[in-house]
Amino acid sequence: MPIAPQAYRPATALLDLGPTLWDPVAAADFPQTILRFRNDRAATGVGLDALTDAEWTQAFGRFAPLPGTLPQPLALRYHGHQFRQYNPDIGDGRGFTFAQMRDDSDRLMDLGTKGSGQTPYSRFGDGRLTLKGGVREILATEMLEALNVPTSRTLSLIETGEALTRGDEPSPTRSAVMVRLSHGHIRIGTFQRLAYLQDEEGMRAAVRYVLHNLYGEESDDPVRLLDHVVTRTATLAARYMAAGFVHGVLNSDNINVTGESFDYGPWRFAPTWDPAFTAAYFDHAGLYAFGRQPEAIHWDVMQLAASLRLIADSDPLVALIEQFGPRYQPRITDALLWRIGVLPRAPEEDRALVQTMERALRTTEAPMDHFFFDVFGGDLPADYAPEWDAFRAALAPYAPRKDRSDAYWQGAPCSMLIDEVEEIWAPIAATDDWSMLHAKVDAIRAMGEALA
């Protein structure tokens, strides 16, 4: 396998935890493996970009072990609150972690799957992923990466030749197996399971694993872990809001302790700044609506704090939980200033600008993608309605973070609303035409370069 030794640095850190957090499993034997998407930009960072298509398909469709890393796939064990209801009967039900390696920033990365077959946690599920679900995850991760949201990256999508029946899309539908590149797959639900089992030794080992491997600290201090998670998840919540993104299922088993977004199901981008906008058709109460995402993530982090009480005093944990809001506020300001392409000035002035912008976005129901495109660099066009005058005045003293010389600004805003997702999927479903998907990925990456 042509892997450059200077770029490919395999790891086996997950094995150090022992079977307290995982079960060895095997991948499904798929009827076909048809390569549909390979993310060489992501693969370059971990030394896997030199694989031929045949080698890529063998590694990410048949899961032949990669050199020097995990000898077999591991399905992770966890619990979690799902729509605020505790569920002890979950875990990796259609995925596993099958490799670890260091990236070009020296971060420990996992290669995890979706749709790779049944595991001990599949319950009544078939362990499979629809091809459309894989396409949607490509679009979500590419868009979020471009919009400065910490996210897993979709590394590979391979069609597997099985016909699947699903209640939420026309069936039978095509199947796929996806591989994501992620900075860890340890979730808040991982710690909830250990607390549920009163496993103090396992809890200390998990804390030590995360601090050492994911935060680069030689410590087993649970308070230190929570401190990191509060900061990272407050940042994630702020970046979601600035991106106009609605994850849809912010259950505690879907919150990574590195603050990296992952596991995309019924996600959507909000067309306007509507706090009540929801992504999941089954979120009848709007628990995970656009405007409630910071609250939802904060609630999940509270469950981590409650779990860590198994091995830590309550007072410092409570004090850190109370820091979520104060840490979120400057980060939402920074994220929105980044999105409109201006440099910060003074904290009070920056907060006032952002509050004025949010009010105008909400009251005018302006299309979010168009607004952020128009205002980038700090110059709101003259044809915006009088309701924008207060924002325009507040914006006047701000200097641009980056000019609009990039060719992207001579075109139209790149968006990812639900109708566009369906338009991209339609030719794939009808005639196996993938050109719209590849063109959209190119357009998203061009936007990311213009914003960066």
Side-chain angles (χ1 to χ4, degrees), residues 338-414:
W338 182 91
R339 188 80 197 270
I340 64 175
V342 298
L343 296 170
R345 287 171 58 84
E348 288 299 326
E349 190 177 354
D350 296 343
R351 277 196 296 274
L353 175 69
V354 164
Q355 288 167 359
T356 305
M357 178 175 67
E358 286 186 72
R359 280 195 299 272
L361 279 168
R362 190 168 57 251
T363 58
T364 64
E365 299 183 347
M368 243 197 297
D369 294 310
H370 285 271
F371 165 73
F372 286 122
F373 182 86
D374 289 344
V375 77
F376 188 87
D379 186 16
L380 188 66
D383 59 357
Y384 269 67
E387 290 91 338
W388 287 94
D389 287 349
F391 171 71
R392 193 190 312 277
L395 182 63
Y398 281 80
R401 173 174 64 81
K402 189 177 181 182
D403 63 33
R404 295 173 66 100
S405 60
D406 192 285
Y408 170 74
W409 302 111
Q410 314 312 312
C414 180

Side-chain angles (χ1 to χ4, degrees), residues 230 298 315 317-327:
V230 168
H298 185 198
D315 288 350
L317 299 174
V318 171
L320 281 169
I321 285 297
E322 292 174 348
Q323 281 295 305
F324 186 92
R327 295 185 190 184

Side-chain angles (χ1 to χ4, degrees), residues 148-171:
N148 203 31
V149 177
T151 179
S152 63
R153 302 168 81 184
T154 306
L155 184 70
S156 173
L157 184 67
I158 290 174
E159 189 168 358
T160 54
E162 295 176 313
L164 304 180
T165 299
R166 293 291 186 267
D168 55 357
E169 56 182 283
S171 297

Side-chain angles (χ1 to χ4, degrees), residues 30-40 43 48-63 131 135 138 154-161 174-179 428 432-434 437-438:
F30 299 113
Q32 294 178 289
T33 49
I34 306 167
L35 179 58
R36 295 302 191 183
F37 178 80
R38 60 177 284 171
N39 188 342
D40 283 318
L48 294 172
D49 54 306
L51 297 177
T52 66
D53 282 354
E55 291 163 336
W56 184 284
T57 301
Q58 191 67 15
F60 305 135
R62 299 298 180 191
F63 300 100
L131 184 63
V135 167
I138 292 169
T154 306
L155 184 70
S156 173
L157 184 67
I158 290 174
E159 189 168 358
T160 54
R174 293 152 72 179
S175 59
V177 63
M178 189 198 80
V179 174
I428 296 173
D432 214 26
D433 180 357
W434 291 76
L437 173 68
H438 294 299

Side-chain angles (χ1 to χ4, degrees), residues 78 92 185-191 252-255 257 262:
Y78 47 86
D92 278 342
H185 280 83
I186 305 298
R187 312 150 189 258
I188 287 175
T190 305
F191 292 89
S252 60
D253 57 296
N254 285 339
I255 304 296
V257 294
F262 77 120

